[in-house]
Amino acid sequence: MNGKIICINKFIHKVLLTNNTIIDTRTRGKLRNNNINPVVGDNVFVNIETKTIEKVYERKNYLERPLIANIDKLLIVMSTSIPVFSPYLIDKFLIIAFSNDIEPIIIITKTDMISIKEKLEVKKYINYYRKLGIKVYINTSVKKIKHEFKDSVVALCGQTGSGKSSLLNKIDASLKLKTGEVSLSLGRGKHTTRLVELLEVNDGLIADTPGFSSLEININKKDLKNYYPDFNKRCKYRSCSHVKEDGCKVIKLVEKGKIPSWRYENYIKFMEECK
Ligand SMILES: Nc1nc2c(ncn2[C@@H]2O[C@H](COP(=O)(O)OP(=O)(O)OP(=O)(O)O)[C@@H](O)[C@H]2O)c(=O)[nH]1
Ligand SMILES: [Mg+2]
Ligand SMILES: [Zn+2]
């Protein structure tokens, strides 16, 4: 019977079957037929009798951190207070989402902890992301966020302490996920969430994943621009990397203020990080 891996704990792979029951399967290491290591999110064929996974179906996408496959939407949970608001991290997660064919959705948290002046500052960034066609919600818009989960496999990402587990608890109180205090001394909280697990919520599946802050972009320099919807311009050279070429329209737009300088500066930083 077909199903989806919702949790892996040592050798036990929990599979949600198409008949809506959950079965514990024991699979050791890679599958013989395609040499694949099953991960959470994998669509699989289970032999009900032997309780083993016999096949892993082709993946739509695959993330290594968190280790998960077949994600439809990536909720980028971003705090405006502690941890500090970071358009750099948002841009990084957007690249990861776009390069893996995942719809990014930005969720802003802790706006109750900042001043009106700081809110206006954050609003500038939100407006730009919305202009790019990216959905941005404040974490208090629970109803709207809930709607995004329907019939989707959703992953959450964002720094530890940004409010991922708190958000999920608001969406479905029965989840009772552990939430942690942010450790002020380190400026980053301890990772409260350990296991990668898909949880059934609102007719969809959600991954509550360990928080992560340092994430490497595994993209070639020349491909990076493809994940910038706002950089899709016809420059003088088709291969223009928008860094210092003559007749670069992106650089022109930055000079004119049509593309904000922070957005462009982040791009330059990522170019340096890419191979
Ligand atoms: N004031 C305020 N506090 C929040 C908000 N969202 C989350 N918190 C608090 O921030 C702390 C961290 O939240 P968590 O939900 O545990 O963060 P997390 O992203 O799941 O963290 P990890 O599991 O470590 O990755 C908790 O003490 C929450 O109560 C918010 O919108 N406002
Ligand atoms: Mg958590
Ligand atoms: Zn250019």
Side-chain angles (χ1 to χ4, degrees):
M1 194 180 288
N2 286 332
K4 187 185 269 296
I5 301 178
I6 55 170
C7 183
I8 298 178
N9 199 351
K10 301 213 174 81
F11 293 120
I12 300 173
H13 295 52
K14 244 183 221 310
V15 177
L16 173 65
L17 296 168
T18 43
N19 67 2
N20 245 342
T21 61
I22 293 171
I23 186 171
D24 280 350
T25 66
R26 269 156 225 278
T27 304
R28 283 168 189 272
K30 294 183 175 172
L31 293 192
R32 253 182 299 162
N33 69 329
N34 47 9
N35 204 31
I36 266 185
N37 238 335
V39 302
V40 170
D42 266 329
N43 297 315
V44 295
F45 180 83
V46 176
N47 181 328
I48 304 288
E49 243 116 76
T50 58
K51 293 192 173 177
T52 51
I53 294 169
E54 290 190 341
K55 188 175 173 163
V56 174
Y57 292 104
E58 204 181 320
R59 294 165 177 158
K60 171 186 167 186
N61 52 47
Y62 173 83
L63 296 184
E64 276 177 6
R65 259 189 189 227
L67 187 56
I68 200 160
N70 300 317
I71 297 298
D72 298 311
K73 297 174 182 177
L74 185 68
L75 299 197
I76 302 166
V77 181
M78 181 51 64
S79 158
T80 52
S81 172
I82 303 166
V84 65
F85 185 72
S86 168
Y88 172 82
L89 265 185
I90 296 179
D91 284 353
K92 200 169 198 177
F93 287 130
L94 290 179
I95 294 166
I96 288 158
F98 287 135
S99 62
N100 286 290
D101 197 16
I102 304 173
E103 183 195 354
I105 296 171
I106 301 168
I107 311 278
I108 305 289
T109 70
K110 309 199 185 187
T111 51
D112 56 303
M113 291 175 74
I114 57 172
S115 66
I116 292 177
K117 198 169 156 248
E118 288 167 312
K119 270 185 205 164
L120 288 173
E121 184 63 21
V122 167
K123 188 79 184 156
K124 278 199 297 193
Y125 295 99
I126 293 178
N127 286 344
Y128 187 71
Y129 289 122
R130 286 197 173 134
K131 222 176 85 184
L132 296 184
I134 298 161
K135 290 177 190 155
V136 184
Y137 301 114
I138 309 295
N139 64 341
T140 44
S141 305
V142 178
K143 224 175 138 184
K144 283 184 193 158
I145 300 170
K146 235 183 187 167
H147 190 72
E148 295 291 345
F149 294 154
K150 208 173 175 305
D151 300 324
S152 299
V153 179
V154 178
L156 281 86
C157 67
Q159 289 155 292
T160 181
S162 62
K164 298 179 293 295
S165 301
S166 307
L167 175 75
L168 291 182
N169 285 337
K170 262 197 244 170
I171 303 286
D172 183 344
S174 71
L175 289 172
K176 294 197 181 70
L177 297 170
K178 227 178 127 195
T179 60
E181 295 300 323
V182 177
S183 137
L184 287 168
S185 57
L186 285 170
R188 59 190 172 93
K190 50 185 178 339
H191 289 250
T192 312
T193 306
R194 293 263 164 220
L195 271 182
V196 177
E197 193 173 9
L198 287 176
L199 307 162
E200 288 186 76
V201 173
N202 215 37
D203 293 334
L205 289 166
I206 298 171
D208 183 38
T209 70
F212 49 96
S213 47
S214 66
L215 208 131
E216 278 167 38
I217 301 181
N218 215 352
I219 291 171
N220 282 324
K221 262 190 192 352
K222 66 169 177 44
D223 295 328
L224 187 66
K225 62 177 181 181
N226 299 337
Y227 311 120
Y228 275 74
D230 40 347
F231 288 17
N232 187 12
K233 309 283 178 241
R234 279 174 189 273
C235 300
K236 187 170 163 191
Y237 306 108
R238 252 192 82 188
S239 62
C240 186
S241 66
H242 316 313
V243 174
K244 52 183 173 220
E245 288 92 338
D246 282 344
C248 173
K249 289 201 175 155
V250 170
I251 294 174
K252 280 250 154 60
L253 289 170
V254 176
E255 283 165 2
K256 281 193 205 154
K258 295 261 161 69
I259 292 173
S261 51
W262 57 265
R263 173 92 172 146
Y264 184 68
E265 280 156 23
N266 287 341
Y267 172 75
I268 297 296
K269 277 190 212 157
F270 296 135
M271 275 302 257
E272 283 159 13
E273 288 176 29
C274 284
K275 289 164 293 177

